[in-house]
Amino acid sequence: DSGVTQTPKHLITATGQRVTLRCSPRSGDLSVYWYQQSLDQGLQFLIQYYNGEERAKGNILERFSAQQFPDLHSELNLSSLELGDSALYFCASSEGPAGDTQYFGPGTRLTVL
Amino acid sequence: AQRVTQPEKLLSVFKGAPVELKCNYSYSGSPELFWYVQYSRQRLQLLLRHISRESIKGFTADLNKGETSFHLKKPFAQEEDSAMYYCALKAHGQNFVFGPGTRLSVLP
């Protein structure tokens, strides 16, 4: 167990809807990363927050947004959902802003019907 | 831009046979290379990183800058090694770039 938690484990919703995924980092870690893992795209980096501030952006759609709260937990908001958004969404955390080992959460499986 | 390729989507070997999971990267500088593993129904976890030059669960990986490769090797595969393996690169000041992954299946 890496200490990173994610809720919910599974989420089933319909196209056009909006969902929020939650991640709590390991104790002491200030960075949170979000990744999308789909069958055809592999593991894609979406966005990173460090100590409440956006640190880096990857292949994140405009329909998606994220934030990190003062208690360091993070939420990934996905809106106007499309069938292609169905994937596993992983959160990872690390101690510092860059160059550290990342510890992954168990993931949230999102199914858009 | 940094890129990581893992040419094999699926690799099947028999128990006790040597295994090599290939990883090639494109980056002009000096990257950090990692191998992550995802066992069935478990989260992704770090297997090893090149700077530590350690052997974890019998696996080793050597960074070959000339060939821009970071292949993962184990001399005698075990059934419990069956998993998804991801090679990842981290350039200085940049974020992680993961390869597409190789599913290793160790047959009895």
Side-chain angles (χ1 to χ4, degrees), chain A residues 13-112:
Chain A
T13 189
T15 53
Q17 295 298 304
R18 173 190 168 95
V19 297
T20 297
L21 313 184
R22 184 189 166 102
C23 167
S24 292
R26 288 189 327 154
S27 176
D29 284 356
L30 299 180
S31 269
V32 169
Y33 308 77
W34 284 99
Y35 291 88
Q36 180 191 58
Q37 184 183 41
S38 56
L39 280 174
D40 56 345
Q41 291 284 325
L43 200 62
Q44 299 283 316
F45 167 69
L46 296 178
I47 197 164
Q48 177 202 358
Y49 278 81
Y50 174 72
N51 204 21
E53 300 288 326
E54 182 184 302
R55 172 86 180 174
K57 245 181 178 175
N59 301 322
I60 188 165
L61 299 172
E62 284 192 19
R63 299 184 285 110
F64 297 0
S65 64
Q67 53 185 325
Q68 186 179 30
F69 294 87
D71 66 353
L72 300 176
H73 91 271
S74 177
E75 291 182 356
L76 179 67
N77 301 295
L78 315 176
S79 60
S80 302
L81 285 168
E82 300 175 0
L83 295 176
D85 298 328
S86 295
L88 256 175
Y89 291 85
F90 285 105
C91 163
S93 73
S94 70
E95 191 177 325
D100 303 292
T101 301
Q102 295 187 9
Y103 297 89
F104 281 79
T108 292
R109 182 170 292 284
L110 173 67
T111 302
V112 183

Side-chain angles (χ1 to χ4, degrees), chain A residues 2 4 37 56 99 101-102 104, chain B residues 43 46 49 86 90 95-96:
Chain A
S2 66
V4 179
Q37 184 183 41
T101 301
Q102 295 187 9
F104 281 79
Chain B
R43 64 189 70 193
L46 178 67
R49 55 194 301 183
Y86 292 93
K90 190 174 183 325
N95 274 286
F96 278 80

Side-chain angles (χ1 to χ4, degrees), chain A residues 36-39 41-44 88 90 104, chain B residues 4-6 8-9 21-23 33-39 42-48 70 72 83-89 96-104:
Chain A
Q36 180 191 58
Q37 184 183 41
S38 56
L39 280 174
Q41 291 284 325
L43 200 62
Q44 299 283 316
L88 256 175
F90 285 105
F104 281 79
Chain B
V4 176
T5 56
Q6 293 177 250
E8 302 130 335
K9 272 193 174 180
L21 292 98
K22 292 185 167 52
C23 170
L33 275 298
F34 304 77
W35 276 99
Y36 278 82
V37 60
Q38 189 175 26
Y39 300 103
Q42 293 187 30
R43 64 189 70 193
L44 211 64
Q45 56 187 287
L46 178 67
L47 181 62
L48 53 81
F70 188 55
L72 184 68
M84 196 75 182
Y85 290 80
Y86 292 93
C87 182
L89 174 154
F96 278 80
V97 175
F98 283 82
T102 296
R103 181 169 297 283
L104 174 64

Side-chain angles (χ1 to χ4, degrees), chain B residues 58-93:
Chain B
F59 284 97
T60 58
D62 289 316
L63 178 60
N64 185 323
K65 290 187 178 180
E67 295 182 0
T68 58
S69 67
F70 188 55
H71 303 328
L72 184 68
K73 300 176 185 178
K74 184 169 182 176
F76 307 104
Q78 302 299 315
E79 288 182 71
E80 55 266 29
D81 296 328
S82 295
M84 196 75 182
Y85 290 80
Y86 292 93
C87 182
L89 174 154
K90 190 174 183 325
H92 180 69

